[in-house]
């Protein structure tokens, strides 16, 4: 049971070839003092956790297609069950790609339009944070945050009807933007449809984003806007009306 | 015994005389497999036949040195029970024929050297050289197009490998010069952190211990890569593609995680990665270092294709493989670690007391040689450099007395050798691991925190400064590369603690090549002594010649610095109101322009460059003190384009102009664009300027006040001449795409 004020417990899935699990674990344990556990992809049990992280990297070497093999890793059954029961799930970078392959989020991530890998700090406009208080409760509509991006295949695409529906339902929550919050082609680092950098599922508990919030959690590494996503989760866990025991396993 | 050597095409690059030495070592004639092994191991690439006697001149010891040259990488104590483990290595020849895979496998190879030591890699850096990317007076359009292809492939390969394996590429440098057309240089450096007790050496021991070959399967790629890298590049580049290996960063990521788990275990005796000359080299070095032998069953080597001969199995340079020596009772658990990462771990043999490598193919013994003969007994050739005859230059004198102009400054700032490298480094993940405090483009050195401590590492990789000084005096190429690295680290506020070097030269068998190599090594050695820096690891790449001639002598130095309290780090830009000072030899003489970018742009290839290494060392010491006491706030090393370009870069980094006043000079262009190494700009708050001058005076370092930061442009007065440049103008010039 999650007790008010208790330390959040998170599971960070580790696939062969992912790497940002190390950075998520650092933020969770060293910066925030949470309990965090790496879970190898071949496991089937997430244990008792409040949230699940799908990290960035090159799961299974991105062979076949980004996320396409990871989606079939044994742990994903437990992740999917956890997500469908309303458990908070965040997929960053490669994790976002896995979420789309797993069908937990719509659309797909394609090769950047300029065909190059891109690593840089990136301004993002926050939209409809109320659609996903789990992850964005500490953020304001229309504000601009700065997070690192680091990807070769981050161009978000979906068919126009899906894009329209995402926008209508307030499920587009982050867009690539200028420092003043304008969504322009020049500010779009990869050619994503409508400048989309992050979306949530209809229930608002599953967030997929290409940027790396775990790399922006301490000012000395260049910024701490990413920490606000973690703080949002912490607050949501404390304030949610009926803390539920979450032990999700596919076995 | 009269030895009749086989025809040259069967000698694997050995000379007839060397063949005789092989026969002496064995006491019989070698079979074809053994001869192939000797050919690879006694190649320049593996045996350092021409460079090893010279490398002995480099200082390699020091109080903090934990592991010096001779292992997979060097290691230096950084306190808190931690060590920094680092090495630089070249992949020049492969990158000349297949730039993407050549560069990628260079990165993969240097990463393996670090995690083989039990250290977790935390950073990559690289030093690159190409011919001009655009046609100019030195380079025709077809050559420029080829250079651009090589450049794109190399950058893509570095990005592809480093990004996938997840090690941030935090810094580097690139220089363009026509001597590198067709013979690019790709030097990759990797830096790791290990706990002292987890450092693992490549020293086999213990008869009966098991040899595990782990990682990738063995195939026909990269056969004869070592001997290919030990000859000049001919016009047959396309035919040499089979000598280049193909990288798989995903596999190496798994191998790295598995090996780092192993480094914590007591039952792992030694680890050695398979690089040049593959299994042959790994077996030879492991057993030679430990004074033992090995009994190997070649049939147990996992293969990716059928029909491999013993020769191919022993000489394949298939990537992402490691040889591990494990005590018998630990084998099952070690195998289980590899199984979890879905990697092969094959028991291919055992360690023996008798110092002989015996390889079996089925029932047949196909190889019976001593590891020491292969690894250590290659002949050493004396390389002797001639005297240096400096040539004074009226052209340099004329250039020095030219009146400075905004046009010249902007042209230097925007020159391919000075302009913004962001189009390169934005393709590299430089933040992975969340240690990067100062990344590429933001400082002279990268700054990485050491988690769990208050410390930070400053990392830099540098060639000579000026970049072409080796064309005039290779001694200064060596010395200035060491000085550049130390300066770049020191302007970050760190104290340099050690270096790794990569010596890129032409053929040592020519008089010119021998002279260049010898003098450069003497220059490195002298500068290291002046700066009290040990050389803990390194690599030599010779035969960098094409039918058009040799490359510029290019010693490359990777420097590691340490800051105990990382809050004391210096930034590169300045803030409004800060005073701007020049520390070190003001270089108001025409010689400062010798070999400079400006001289080369004007086609002036002579002059007498000089460098006061002792004076540079005093500047480095002073910087540590200024940073430690919080006196200096910003600092930047002078390099391409000299003082003028350095001021422009600090203005751009701070987003703030400055007013600079220099005394009238008879050599104003030397003052403004001379590139003599060993000088830095520092900024201080006005109230602390007296502390700066008194510290400089105590350290016997010349200090000259240049002006004050502020305003929206760089106003530069030099005697009568007045230059005014807006930040926008500077930005436009510097940010021209490559």
């Amino acid at each position: 049971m999650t007790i008010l004020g208790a330390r959040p417990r998170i599971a960070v899935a580790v696939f062969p070839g992912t790497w940002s699990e190390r950075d998520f674990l650092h933020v969770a344990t060293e910066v925030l003092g949470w309990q965090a556990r790496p879970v190898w992809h071949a496991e089937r049990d997430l244990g008792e956790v409040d949230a699940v992280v799908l990290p960035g990297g090159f799961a299974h070497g991105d062979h076949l297609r980004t996320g396409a093999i990871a989606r079939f890793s044994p742990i994903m059954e437990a992740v999917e069950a956890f997500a469908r029961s309303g458990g908070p799930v965040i997929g960053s970078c490669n994790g976002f790609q896995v979420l789309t392959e797993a069908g937990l989020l719509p659309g797909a991530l394609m090769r950047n339009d300029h065909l190059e890998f891109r690593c840089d700090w990136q301004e993002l406009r926050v939209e409809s944070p109320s659609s996903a208080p789990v992850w964005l409760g500490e953020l304001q509509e229309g504000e601009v945050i700065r997070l690192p991006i680091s990807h070769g295949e981050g161009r978000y695409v979906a068919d126009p009807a899906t894009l329209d529906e995402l926008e209508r339902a307030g499920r587009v929550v982050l867009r690539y933007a200028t420092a003043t919050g304008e969504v322009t082609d020049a500010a779009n680092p990869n050619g994503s449809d409508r400048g989309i950098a992050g979306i949530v599922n209809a229930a608002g508990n599953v967030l997929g984003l290409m940027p790396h919030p775990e790399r922006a959690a301490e000012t000395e590494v260049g910024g701490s806007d990413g920490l606000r996503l973690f703080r949002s989760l912490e607050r949501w866990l404390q304030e949610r009306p009926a803390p539920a025991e979450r032990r999700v396993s596919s076995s | 015994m009269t030895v009749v050597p086989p025809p040259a095409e069967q000698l694997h690059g050995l000379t007839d005389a060397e063949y005789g030495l092989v026969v002496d070592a064995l006491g019989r004639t070698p079979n074809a497999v053994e001869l192939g092994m000797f050919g690879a191991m006694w190649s320049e690439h593996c045996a350092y036949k021409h460079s090893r006697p010279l490398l002995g001149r480099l200082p390699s010891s020091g109080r903090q040195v934990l592991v010096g040259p001779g292992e997979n990488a060097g290691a230096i104590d950084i306190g808190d029970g931690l060590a920094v483990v680092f090495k630089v290595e070249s992949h020049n020849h492969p990158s000349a024929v297949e730039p993407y895979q050549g560069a990628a496998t260079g990165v993969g190879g240097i990463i393996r050297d670090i995690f083989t030591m039990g250290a977790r890699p935390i950073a990559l850096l690289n030093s690159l050289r190409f011919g001009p990317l655009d046609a100019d007076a030195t380079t025709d359009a077809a050559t420029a197009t080829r250079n651009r292809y090589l450049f794109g492939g190399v950058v893509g390969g570095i990005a592809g490998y480093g990004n996938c394996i997840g090690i941030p590429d935090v810094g580097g440098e690139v220089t363009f010069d026509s001597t590198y057309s067709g013979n690019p240089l790709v030097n990759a450096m990797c830096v790791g952190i290990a706990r002292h007790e987890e450092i693992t050496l490549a020293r086999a021991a213990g008869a009966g211990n098991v040899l595990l070959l782990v990682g990738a399967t063995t195939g026909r790629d990269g056969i004869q890569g070592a001997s290919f890298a030990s000859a000049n590049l001919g016009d047959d580049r396309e035919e040499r593609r089979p000598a280049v290996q193909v990288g798989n960063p995903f596999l190496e990521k798994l191998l790295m995680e598995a090996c780092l788990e192993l480094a914590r275990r007591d039952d792992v005796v030694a680890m050695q990665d398979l690089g040049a000359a593959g299994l042959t080299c790994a077996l030879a070095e492991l057993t030679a270092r430990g004074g033992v032998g090995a009994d190997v069953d070649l049939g147990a080597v996992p293969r990716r294709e059928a029909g491999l001969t013993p020769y191919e199995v022993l000489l394949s340079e298939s990537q992402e493989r490691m040889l591990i020596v494990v005590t018998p009772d630990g084998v099952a658990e070690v195998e289980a670690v590899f199984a979890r990462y879905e990697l092969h771990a094959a028991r291919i043999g055992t360690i023996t007391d008798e110092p002989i490598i015996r390889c079996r193919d089925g029932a047949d013994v196909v190889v019976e040689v001593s590891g020491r003969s292969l690894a250590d007994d290659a002949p050493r050739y004396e390389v002797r450099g001639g005297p240096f005859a400096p040539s004074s230059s009226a052209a340099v004198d004329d250039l020095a007395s030219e009146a400075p102009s905004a046009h010249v400054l902007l042209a230097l700032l925007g020159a391919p050798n000075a302009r913004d490298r962001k189009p390169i480094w934005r393709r590299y993940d430089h933040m992975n691991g969340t240690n990067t405090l100062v990344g590429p483009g933001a400082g002279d050195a990268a700054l990485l925190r050491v988690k769990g401590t208050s410390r930070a590492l400053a990392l830099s990789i540098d060639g000579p400064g000026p970049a072409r000084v080796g064309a005039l005096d290779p001694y200064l190429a060596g010395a200035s590369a060491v000085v550049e690295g130390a300066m770049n680290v020191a302007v970050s506020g760190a104290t340099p603690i050690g270096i790794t070097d990569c010596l890129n030269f032409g053929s040592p068998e020519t008089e010119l090549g021998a002279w260049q190599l010898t003098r450069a090594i003497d220059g490195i050695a002298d500068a290291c002594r002046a700066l009290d820096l040990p050389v803990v690891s390194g690599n030599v790449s010779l035969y960098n010649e094409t039918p058009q001639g040799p490359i510029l002598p290019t010693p490359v130095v990777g420097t590691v610095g340490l800051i105990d309290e990382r809050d004391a780090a210096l930034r590169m830009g300045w803030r409004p109101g800060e005073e701007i000072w020049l520390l070190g030899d003001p270089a108001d003489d025409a010689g400062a322009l010798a070999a400079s970018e400006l001289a080369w742009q004007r086609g002036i290839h002579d002059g007498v460059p000089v460098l006061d290494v002792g004076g540079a060392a005093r500047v480095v010491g002073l910087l540590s003190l200024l940073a430690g006491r919080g006196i200096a706030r910003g600092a930047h090393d002078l390099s391409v384009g000299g003082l003028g370009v350095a001021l422009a870069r600090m203005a751009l980094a701070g987003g703030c102009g400055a007013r600079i006043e220099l005394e009238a000079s008879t050599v104003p262009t030397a003052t403004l664009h001379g590139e003599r190494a060993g000088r830095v700009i520092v900024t201080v708050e006005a109230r602390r300027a007296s502390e700066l001058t008194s510290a400089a005076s105590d350290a016997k370092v010349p200090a000259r006040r240049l002006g004050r930061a502020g305003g929206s442009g760089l106003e530069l007065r030099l005697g009568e001449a007045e230059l005014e440049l807006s930040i926008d103008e500077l930005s436009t010039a510097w940010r021209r795409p490559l």
Side-chain angles (χ1 to χ4, degrees), chain A residues 16 18-19 22-23 26 40 58 60-61 63 116-121 148 150 214-215 218 220-221, chain B residues 120 163-166 250 253-254 340-341 422 426-434 437 449 451 566:
Chain A
T18 54
W19 25 249
R22 295 175 57 81
D23 297 340
H26 168 76
W40 184 239
F58 288 69
H60 301 280
H63 292 154
E116 284 184 2
F117 195 93
R118 189 66 81 239
C119 177
D120 210 344
W121 284 88
S150 190
E214 80 286 3
R215 294 186 183 185
E218 294 158 281
E220 74 171 343
V221 295
Chain B
R120 176 168 284 280
N163 295 344
C164 179
I165 198 166
F250 168 60
K253 163 73 173 163
L254 302 178
R340 184 147 40 83
Y341 287 101
K422 188 168 182 177
R426 70 182 176 184
R427 296 176 63 182
Y428 304 149
D429 188 338
H430 48 272
M431 302 185 220
N432 208 332
T434 64
L437 307 181
R449 64 177 172 179
K451 285 197 182 110
R566 61 180 177 256

